[in-house]
Amino acid sequence: MSSRRRMLLKVIILGDSGVGKTSLMNQYVNRKFSNQYKATIGADFLTKEVQFEDRLFTLQIWDTAGQERFQSLGVAFYRGADCCVLAYDVNVMKSFDNLNNWREEFLIQAAPSDPENFPFVVLGNKIDVDGGNSRVVSEKKAKAWCASKGNIPYFETSAKEGFNVEAAFECIAKNALKNEPEEEIYLPDTIDVAGGGRQQRSSGCEC
Amino acid sequence: MMSEVAQDEEKWLGAGIAGLQQNAFYMHRALDSNNLRDALKYSAQMLSELRTSRLSPHKYYELYMRAFDELRKLEMFFKEETRRGCSIVDLYELVQHAGNILPRLYLLCTVGSVYIKSKEAPAKDVLKDLVEMCRGIQHPVRGLFLRSYLSQVSRDKLPDIGSEYEGDADTVVDAVEFVLQNFTEMNKLWVRMQHQGPAREKEKREKERSELRDLVGKNLHVLSQIEGVDLEMYKETVLPRVLEQVVNCKDELAQYYLMDCIIQVFPDEYHLQTLETLLGAYPQLQPSVDVKTVLSQLMERLSNYAASSAEALPEFLQVEAFAKLNNAIGKVIEAQVDMPVAGAVTLYSSLLTFTLHVHPDRLDYVDQVLGACVKKLSGKGKLEDSRATKQIVALLSAPLEKYNDIMTALKLSNYPRVMEYLDNGTNKVMAVVIIQSIMKNNTCVSTADKVEALFELIKGLIKDLDGTFDDELDEEDFKEEQNSVARLIQMLYSDDPEEMFKIICTVRKHILTGGPKRLPFTAPPLVFSALKLVRRLQGQDENVVGEEALATPKKIFQFLNQIIEALSTVPTPELALRLYLQCAEAANDSDLEPVAYEFFTQAYILYEEEISDSKAQVTAIHLIIGTLQRMHVFGVENRDTLTHKATGYSAKLLKKPDQCRAVYACSHLFWVDDQDSVKDGERVLLCLKRALRIANAAQQMTNATRGGSGSVTLFVEILNKYLYFFEKGNPQVNIAAIQGLIELITTEMQSDTSTQDPAADAFFASTLRYIQFQKQKGGVIGEKYEPIKV
């Protein structure tokens, strides 16, 4: 049973609106890129099969809405994540400043049992823009922040040009795999001999 | 404290999770032992937990996510089963034996996903089947989550172009059709929800509906991610179909939210190319929908798009975006009669921002927007709604920020007309914004006409509007405002003296309406501005100035006289006196004796009639003496009259020490170094002697009142004057007088009764040191000082 569980790795991508979360996922899963900005609504995932140490895994990559008003149902989907990707735009200082908020929000909401060692990966995206002339967050600064948060792996990426995306997700998958699964060990307190299941509690229509 | 309802909900969620976990446990066991029958049984029981009606959408989502995760394991199992030779078609049939419909459909969707992946049937057929079957659930919350599940598991299996599921039979049209159908059904469930349940729970229901909105909106996100949805398909199919739903559902929440979604999830290029269709929907929305916010968001997006790339601009022109937006806004405002003014102004403000971004060269567009705004505001009187005024300030500030030049704004005929509708307070705020813009950009306002327009614009600062004067006015704010007007006056400049004079006259006209509180702030900068002009004219050849020229020093001085006169009636006589003296000095430099004399006369009248405070008198008299000393334009007669008066004023000051100091200062009026005609040694000495007498009297007075002798400071000061004139070669000031004075001071200081005054001692000591120093210098000076004994 546990072997089946370990075949699926859940990854959540967080970050401000417009940093390229959807583009990073699309580039990695479909090798496609579109320059057009399209907001994401709610949470949405794509899967990708990855081979690692001779085993096949399914990477379940959750792309999220960066705009709060498109996250009306809350973040129950954080539950059971194996790795959290924090993305920002190297050309927008605010998106970097907000990484801390995203990280803390994730730790509070997902409540992993060992928050100190929960695997994060930081992606500094859009390094291609204007030949790097418009960037405002230096690699040094980003790395310093990552180091201060328990040596978070850091990648500079360009979803547009596909630069470093593959390598980043390889690292993401590796770290997700290292994360000890938090399978809630469930043991039924009564063995249901009759096997008839529990009483149906639902009221209303019988659907 | 958790409310009872929330506590109950936690309990229900806990029970749901427990039931789910228990069945999941048995499901896992069945999966591990490859027992398909049990796996289906327990998974169906597990999914039965989702049949609850007791949870709010948030809590339901938590339960749903747990079930969702478990179903992924089941999905993998199904995949393995098919690999082991189990027919997927059989599986698809088999799961439909589940007793309850909700679990059955979840299982069906899960198998369906594997079915599509197996490619044993065309994707479109399976999708069509699933989306139809889901009609079986008409409970809104359950139905929405089920369909959202379907949407999620089919997400990567849509026959999009380039997808592995695209085939002869399957095209992107099928993919779009499937998502649109799911969207339509979900929207119906969502809208219908408000009509279910008792009326008293309406508020709770609205909140729950709001929480559920993203489930519906996500379909639009899915559509936008389908690669095959190109502009053509978006224009012909997607947008019309979505808008049809939005308009026809007649639901406020849905309409507001979905319009926002459309704007946000689809790319800018699409919006530009379908503007007419999109905008056509707005007037059809329910009157209660907050159209202005959604429409503003659209314009904001398009503005950003225009700003982001120069290549996008031709697109805007090609589709006549401005005209379309302008038209749409007009229609919306017309259709929504009850829209508050703030709403309408917000719309115009967004349109203006859009115009400034997209058509920076089209001032007529900007004016058109402002004009439309005026039309909307007209007949409403002054605005009192603070949100509306805030929006107007934003509206009026936008062109200033864009052009960094008030001159451009002055060209907008509707600009001042919009300002008319601001309340007095906001009018002032706006006027300050305008002045700050001028300061920041160092804008040169260089013609009288422009100045006229500008002052008309900022009249809120220049005078009391409507004749009302606000007593509550904050003194500091007022000063701040008037100081900014003063700074503005200094900024007005033309190279042409004639024009400059016209500018000055225009400013005078306006500031004279400002009343006594403002003139002390606004008159001085104008006076100095005019004096600057006089100085400029002095540099010019007299002949250049034509006969009918307005800007002659004489005329300007006349003008100045009037301004200062206005100021003296305020009354601020001290300020007026200073300005008169300043003018007198300028007239002196222009060699206009009668004018300079007139200014002095005015200053004297003020001194005699208006300045009564003794300290103010002291200050004034020293200013008078100082100025008079520098005048060289006066003939003997005029000079005598003026110096005579000044000496007279000095001797009549209230306090003896003040008298003394003023009188010895007057000595300088009779001895001017660079004027050979003014070297009257005798009268200098008279002044000094008179000062000595007064100093004596002052000391005696102190003796009488305090019982001890006063300070010798005054004597030391006079000694210094003696030394000055001695050095300058005044024959009347001789060694004997100086010697006598030194001895007098020494005796005074040694007398028992004298008051200790270390400052005076030090002053005297350093004066003696100076004499010593001069003696040691040798040469002419040394010889001169030699006889003085210290």
Side-chain angles (χ1 to χ4, degrees), chain A residues 40-201:
Chain A
T40 300
I41 293 181
D44 179 28
F45 74 76
L46 289 179
T47 57
K48 184 168 167 107
E49 306 274 310
V50 285
Q51 186 137 8
F52 196 71
E53 287 169 359
D54 294 335
R55 281 172 67 197
L56 209 56
F57 295 95
T58 302
L59 212 52
Q60 191 184 71
I61 306 164
W62 287 78
D63 174 28
T64 60
Q67 298 186 50
E68 209 175 334
R69 70 176 191 280
F70 292 131
Q71 201 68 273
S72 68
L73 267 175
V75 290
F77 63 89
Y78 285 3
R79 195 183 155 272
D82 296 300
C83 179
C84 176
V85 179
L86 302 172
Y88 76 96
D89 177 348
V90 298
N91 308 290
V92 180
M93 186 54 79
K94 189 103 180 51
S95 70
F96 176 73
D97 293 339
N98 277 337
L99 288 185
N100 209 33
N101 298 338
W102 286 112
R103 181 175 170 274
E104 276 173 18
E105 159 86 2
F106 177 82
L107 289 176
I108 291 167
Q109 297 294 342
S113 57
D114 184 8
E116 295 295 310
N117 293 310
F118 184 86
F120 285 93
V121 173
V122 170
L123 304 185
N125 195 32
K126 301 201 189 179
I127 58 163
D128 58 279
V129 173
D130 197 16
N133 288 325
S134 62
R135 88 178 273 166
V136 290
V137 184
S138 68
E139 188 171 356
K140 199 175 145 203
K141 184 170 178 173
K143 279 187 169 159
W145 185 82
C146 290
S148 75
K149 298 292 170 190
N151 284 320
I152 301 177
Y154 174 69
F155 289 87
E156 302 234 312
T157 59
S158 160
K160 183 177 183 175
E161 289 166 0
F163 176 77
N164 230 1
V165 176
E166 190 76 30
F169 275 93
E170 223 165 82
C171 172
I172 290 161
K174 215 159 73 186
N175 279 288
L177 192 61
K178 265 194 271 175
N179 184 45
E180 284 303 310
E182 284 177 44
E183 191 67 48
E184 291 165 347
I185 307 297
Y186 177 80
L187 289 171
D189 27 296
T190 53
I191 300 296
D192 193 353
V193 213
R198 286 152 19 95
Q199 203 72 34
Q200 293 305 341
R201 288 182 284 101

Side-chain angles (χ1 to χ4, degrees), chain B residues 527-685:
Chain B
V527 167
F528 283 101
S529 188
L531 287 176
K532 247 187 253 169
L533 179 59
V534 170
R535 216 166 302 138
R536 214 172 351 141
L537 291 170
Q538 279 160 21
Q540 284 181 358
D541 193 344
E542 285 291 329
N543 302 333
V544 177
V545 185
E547 289 218 344
E548 67 273 43
L550 284 163
T552 64
K554 254 193 189 150
K555 289 217 174 83
I556 297 171
F557 281 122
Q558 236 168 30
F559 163 93
L560 281 164
N561 210 341
Q562 290 160 1
I563 284 272
I564 305 172
E565 202 181 341
L567 197 56
S568 65
T569 59
V570 163
T572 47
E574 289 139 53
L575 179 59
L577 181 127
R578 279 166 191 264
L579 294 173
Y580 276 136
L581 293 175
Q582 198 75 42
C583 291
E585 213 175 330
N588 176 69
D589 295 343
S590 297
D591 280 324
L592 294 170
E593 185 181 4
V595 177
Y597 190 80
E598 171 66 17
F599 281 123
F600 256 97
T601 314
Q602 295 293 346
Y604 281 6
I605 294 172
L606 276 182
Y607 182 83
E608 285 174 19
E609 293 176 1
E610 306 287 344
I611 300 179
S612 49
D613 176 72
S614 65
K615 271 189 193 146
Q617 284 179 340
V618 173
T619 312
I621 198 71
H622 281 282
L623 286 168
I624 289 173
I625 297 168
T627 312
L628 190 51
Q629 201 263 350
R630 284 192 296 275
M631 304 295 280
H632 54 68
V633 75
F634 292 134
V636 180
E637 200 178 316
N638 280 342
R639 189 171 177 98
D640 269 358
T641 319
L642 293 173
T643 45
H644 181 75
K645 283 241 174 199
T647 334
Y649 296 150
S650 301
K652 278 185 220 122
L653 286 170
L654 184 66
K655 292 181 184 153
K656 290 283 177 204
D658 290 338
Q659 280 179 14
C660 173
R661 288 187 173 110
V663 168
Y664 72 61
C666 282
S667 64
H668 288 287
L669 295 176
F670 304 105
W671 190 280
V672 180
D673 255 0
D674 54 3
Q675 273 180 271
D676 288 337
S677 59
V678 193
K679 287 217 166 45
D680 189 342
E682 211 159 315
R683 288 176 75 180
V684 167
L685 191 64

Side-chain angles (χ1 to χ4, degrees), chain B residues 692-763:
Chain B
L692 269 176
R693 275 202 304 280
I694 302 170
N696 249 323
Q699 197 164 37
Q700 274 160 22
M701 258 173 75
T702 333
N703 281 346
T705 50
R706 295 207 198 127
S709 82
S711 159
V712 295
T713 313
L714 284 173
F715 292 110
V716 184
E717 287 172 21
I718 296 168
L719 171 62
N720 274 279
K721 288 289 160 198
Y722 267 88
L723 288 173
Y724 172 83
F725 287 108
F726 175 66
E727 216 167 279
K728 293 289 176 193
N730 183 338
Q732 304 296 322
V733 179
N734 54 32
I735 301 276
I738 293 173
Q739 199 69 58
L741 197 46
I742 293 174
E743 271 154 30
L744 172 81
I745 296 168
T746 318
T747 325
E748 278 294 328
M749 281 169 62
Q750 283 161 353
S751 87
D752 303 334
T753 51
S754 80
T755 326
Q756 284 301 312
D757 185 351
D761 294 353
F763 189 15

Side-chain angles (χ1 to χ4, degrees), chain A residues 1-2 4-5 7-8 10 22 25-26 32 36-47 49 58 60 62-63 67-80 183-184 186-192 194-198 200-207, chain B residues 12 15-16 18-19 21-22 25-26 28 31-32 41 45 48-49 51 53-54 57-58 61-62 65-66 68-69 72-73 76-77 80 100-102 137 142 145 152 155-156 161 210-211 213-215 217-218 221 224-225 227 257 260-261 264-267 269-270 297 301:
Chain A
M1 179 202 110
S2 66
R4 181 170 289 118
R5 165 69 178 86
M7 285 171 70
L8 190 78
K10 184 170 178 178
T22 308
M25 178 177 80
N26 272 338
K32 278 177 184 165
Q36 302 161 331
Y37 172 68
K38 304 167 185 170
T40 300
I41 293 181
D44 179 28
F45 74 76
L46 289 179
T47 57
E49 306 274 310
T58 302
Q60 191 184 71
W62 287 78
D63 174 28
Q67 298 186 50
E68 209 175 334
R69 70 176 191 280
F70 292 131
Q71 201 68 273
S72 68
L73 267 175
V75 290
F77 63 89
Y78 285 3
R79 195 183 155 272
E183 191 67 48
E184 291 165 347
Y186 177 80
L187 289 171
D189 27 296
T190 53
I191 300 296
D192 193 353
R198 286 152 19 95
Q200 293 305 341
R201 288 182 284 101
S202 165
S203 61
C205 77
E206 271 304 302
C207 60
Chain B
W12 293 124
Q21 281 177 326
Q22 189 183 20
F25 175 83
Y26 290 113
H28 293 158
L31 297 182
D32 287 343
K41 181 177 113 182
Q45 280 177 23
S48 288
E49 295 298 339
R51 295 172 63 217
S53 307
R54 293 189 153 110
H58 257 113
Y61 186 43
E62 273 184 47
M65 272 316 298
R66 284 173 184 263
F68 184 91
D69 285 344
R72 300 284 62 70
K73 291 163 198 164
M76 277 186 225
F77 174 76
E80 285 162 21
N100 289 114
I101 183 166
L102 189 72
I137 305 294
R142 281 174 242 161
F145 275 97
Q152 181 65 72
R155 170 80 162 84
D156 53 357
I161 52 164
S210 183
E211 286 174 9
R213 64 180 191 246
D214 284 349
L215 296 179
K218 211 169 122 185
H221 166 69
S224 79
Q225 292 292 328
E227 216 189 339
Y257 173 71
D260 187 19
C261 283
Q264 297 302 327
V265 301
F266 291 107
E269 296 94 308
Y270 288 16
Q297 271 156 357
R301 242 202 103 151

Side-chain angles (χ1 to χ4, degrees), chain B residues 488-528:
Chain B
L488 173 69
I489 293 172
Q490 303 272 24
M491 302 275 302
L492 311 173
Y493 179 83
S494 167
D495 274 330
D496 173 18
E498 290 294 315
E499 192 61 41
M500 187 63 208
F501 188 58
K502 277 191 209 152
I503 289 176
I504 290 170
C505 290
T506 309
V507 174
R508 177 186 59 177
K509 185 184 86 191
H510 284 277
I511 67 167
L512 284 181
T513 60
K517 279 203 79 169
R518 291 186 182 83
L519 263 184
F521 291 93
T522 49
L526 185 62
V527 167
F528 283 101

